[in-house]
């Protein structure tokens, strides 16, 4: 423990230097959580990132390339939001109608607002809707996929490449957990995107409410515990919104090639984290993985915050408690002893820092062996 009286004898610059040194040493302690959590995660690759700073708190194989499946639609959506007006009307093509996989039951010739399509692809994960958006922006899906790849590289996602707007498997369609965290962090800065991915349901256009879509959504509502009113309404497939307190999104995905992928986010006490898991074995392990990672990420955040608070309490002159009544002789003695040359202060702070470092290093080694 740093003695308050000793700290009171240091000048303000020396106190600041000591605080910075201790923060540098102590900030690394929580990263040992990586060693413990590896065995609790089923996914092949994962990462936890601070939304505000982009700092990685936890990771495994975060730069390993994997198939993303429908979390691809995060890129499709943010490009559309930034480049077009939500009120624009999109014409559905035959190519979009025939897209395999999850579907909004769109038909060639359907006209639908870009706003509705974005909710349809992010909540219901409609592949046909994703293709319709791509063709609306870039004429054809291939050109749009090139735009997707260029876009993500421009924001720092260097190890991703896309060949379609929906996430259907292709050997040249891949990403990494780290890249998806970067992409998601960027997208969540957009107010509309952030609001959209928090919706559990969305009222659908009655003209496009077909029997196949209604049957599917009725089943989804029952599975997710959402009251079914019989009205045209699409259900968000992201179960995290109902499983995790403070969840703020974002998107799940699945193909046989990718297995289960999931990008989740949550806010706790004003701090938001983004977690990504790629290639988890099944839907249950994917959500268990993301919940474990978010819990551990918030634990690390709290531990770091508590450490900073403890250091500030030690260093702050407001916490230095001196005797309120001193006789004249003691006052003079204290005054004479409290004046330490700056050179000695630097030496004292350096020695104290080294001792603190050795103690913490020894402590961390003991913890890692437990």
């Amino acid at each position: 423990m740093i003695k308050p009286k000793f700290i009171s004898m240091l000048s303000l610059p020396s106190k600041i230097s000591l605080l910075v040194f201790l923060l540098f040493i102590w900030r690394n302690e929580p990263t040992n959580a990586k060693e413990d959590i590896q065995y609790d995660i089923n996914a092949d690759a994962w990462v936890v990132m601070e939304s505000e700073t982009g700092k990685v708190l936890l990771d495994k194989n975060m730069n390993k390339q994997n198939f993303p499946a429908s979390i691809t639609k995060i890129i499709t959506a943010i490009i559309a939001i930034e480049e077009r007006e939500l009120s624009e009307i999109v014409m559905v093509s035959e190519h979009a109608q025939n897209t395999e996989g999850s579907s909004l039951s769109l038909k060639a010739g359907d006209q639908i607002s870009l706003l509705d399509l974005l909710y349809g692809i992010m909540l219901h994960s409609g592949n046909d809707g994703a293709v319709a958006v791509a063709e609306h922006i870039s004429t054809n899906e291939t050109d749009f996929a090139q735009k997707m790849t260029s876009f993500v590289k421009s924001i720092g996602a260097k190890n991703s490449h896309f060949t379609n707007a929906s996430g259907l498997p292709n050997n040249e369609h891949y990403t990494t957990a780290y890249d998806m965290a970067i992409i998601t962090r960027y997208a969540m800065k957009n107010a509309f995107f952030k609001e959209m991915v928090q919706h559990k349901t969305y009222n659908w256009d009655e003209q496009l409410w077909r029997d196949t879509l209604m049957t599917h959504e009725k089943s989804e509502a029952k599975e997710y515990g959402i009251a079914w009113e019989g009205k045209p309404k699409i259900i968000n497939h992201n179960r995290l919104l109902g499983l995790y307190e403070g969840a703020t999104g974002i998107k799940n995905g699945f193909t046989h090639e990718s297995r289960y992928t999931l990008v989740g986010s949550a806010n706790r006490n004003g701090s938001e984290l983004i977690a990504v898991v790629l290639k988890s074995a099944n839907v249950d392990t994917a959500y268990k993985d993301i919940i474990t990672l978010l819990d551990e990420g918030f634990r690390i955040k709290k531990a770091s915050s508590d450490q900073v608070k403890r250091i500030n309490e030690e260093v702050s002159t407001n916490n230095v408690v001196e005797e309120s009544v001193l006789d004249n002789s003691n006052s003079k003695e204290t005054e004479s002893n409290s004046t330490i040359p700056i050179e000695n202060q630097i030496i004292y702070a350096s020695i104290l820092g080294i001792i603190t470092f050795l103690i913490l290093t020894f402590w961390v080694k003991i913890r890692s062996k437990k």
Side-chain angles (χ1 to χ4, degrees):
M1 177 75 68
I2 303 171
K3 298 299 183 183
K5 188 172 183 179
F6 173 79
I7 294 174
S8 68
M9 296 161 65
L10 299 179
S11 65
L12 181 58
S14 295
K15 293 173 183 175
I16 294 174
S17 298
L18 180 58
L19 173 60
V20 171
F21 179 83
L22 292 175
L23 283 172
F24 176 78
I25 297 299
W26 289 6
R27 68 188 288 272
N28 294 313
E29 185 275 331
T31 61
N32 290 283
K34 293 182 183 181
E35 300 174 6
D36 300 328
I37 201 173
Q38 301 278 358
Y39 307 102
D40 296 329
I41 304 298
N42 177 273
D44 178 60
W46 42 266
V47 69
V48 179
M49 178 181 286
E50 287 183 347
S51 184
E52 181 179 1
T53 66
K55 177 183 176 182
V56 172
L57 301 180
L58 293 162
D59 71 275
K60 179 185 177 184
N61 296 334
M62 70 174 185
N63 291 314
K64 182 179 178 180
Q65 293 174 343
N66 276 288
F67 296 126
S70 283
I71 60 175
T72 297
K73 296 182 177 81
I74 294 172
I75 299 99
T76 302
I78 191 60
I79 290 176
I81 292 167
E82 290 192 341
E83 292 199 2
R84 295 303 181 98
E85 296 294 328
L86 299 178
S87 59
E88 290 181 17
I89 301 300
V90 177
M91 177 76 75
V92 178
S93 71
E94 186 174 348
H95 173 60
Q97 174 188 331
N98 294 331
T99 304
E100 62 184 78
S102 56
S103 171
L104 289 162
S105 300
L106 299 174
K107 302 295 183 184
D110 282 347
Q111 296 186 45
I112 181 172
S113 71
L114 181 59
L115 173 69
D116 284 353
L117 271 182
L118 289 173
Y119 274 97
I121 69 176
M122 290 304 295
L123 274 61
H124 180 80
S125 203
N127 290 347
D128 48 357
V131 174
V133 168
E135 292 178 332
H136 180 71
I137 294 174
S138 297
T139 306
N140 63 72
E141 189 177 10
T142 300
D143 287 350
F144 185 78
Q146 293 175 356
K147 179 189 287 286
M148 294 168 68
T149 301
S150 298
F151 167 73
V152 299
K153 290 187 184 302
S154 73
I155 62 173
K158 305 297 185 182
N159 295 308
S160 298
H161 186 271
F162 303 103
T163 61
N164 61 72
S166 62
L168 288 173
N170 183 296
N171 287 338
E172 296 302 314
H173 190 98
Y174 54 79
T175 190
T176 69
Y178 180 69
D179 278 7
M180 284 308 306
I182 289 177
I183 294 164
T184 300
R185 179 175 177 246
Y186 177 92
M188 289 293 276
K189 292 178 181 178
N190 182 283
F192 171 74
F193 181 94
K194 188 167 188 174
E195 177 190 0
M196 175 174 62
V197 296
Q198 295 183 59
H199 279 248
K200 292 184 179 181
T201 64
Y202 181 74
N203 294 330
W204 197 241
D205 186 339
E206 291 187 4
Q207 300 298 318
L208 302 176
W209 187 241
R210 298 187 168 100
D211 289 343
T212 51
L213 181 59
M214 180 184 67
T215 300
H216 186 276
E217 295 308 89
K218 185 176 181 180
S219 174
E220 292 286 312
K222 182 178 180 180
E223 181 179 353
Y224 299 156
I226 297 174
W228 181 254
E229 301 171 352
K231 298 178 181 179
K233 181 183 295 185
I234 56 173
I235 309 298
N236 195 329
H237 293 184
N238 178 17
R239 299 181 185 179
L240 189 66
L241 294 174
L243 292 174
Y244 196 79
E245 184 177 356
T248 55
I250 296 172
K251 187 75 184 76
N252 60 308
F254 168 79
T255 65
H256 291 292
E257 292 80 0
S258 70
R259 302 309 300 161
Y260 288 83
T261 63
L262 181 59
V263 179
S265 63
N267 189 296
R268 184 176 295 175
N269 298 323
S271 294
E272 188 166 63
L273 298 182
I274 295 166
V276 180
V277 297
L278 299 179
K279 204 173 184 180
S280 199
N282 57 59
V283 64
D284 292 329
T285 60
Y287 284 101
K288 179 179 179 293
D289 287 347
I290 214 82
I291 289 171
T292 300
L293 288 171
L294 286 171
D295 280 346
E296 188 66 10
F298 282 120
R299 187 196 68 79
I300 290 172
K301 284 280 292 179
K302 185 177 186 304
S304 297
S305 177
D306 289 346
Q307 287 175 350
V308 172
K309 183 178 179 181
R310 286 197 298 268
I311 295 170
N312 284 332
E313 288 174 349
E314 292 288 352
V315 175
S316 176
T317 56
N318 293 330
N319 293 315
V320 177
V321 179
E322 299 289 353
E323 294 183 12
S324 59
V325 179
L326 296 172
D327 57 42
N328 290 335
S329 60
N330 285 341
S331 296
K332 291 178 180 179
E333 182 180 353
T334 301
E335 182 179 354
S336 64
N337 288 337
S338 65
T339 305
I340 299 178
I342 188 65
E343 299 85 358
N344 291 351
Q345 293 186 38
I346 294 173
I347 294 173
Y348 295 156
S350 299
I351 293 173
L352 185 58
I354 292 171
I355 293 173
T356 303
F357 171 73
L358 293 174
I359 293 173
L360 286 173
T361 300
F362 178 70
W363 177 55
V364 168
K365 286 183 178 179
I366 291 177
R367 285 193 62 192
S368 65
K369 291 179 181 178
K370 292 181 179 180

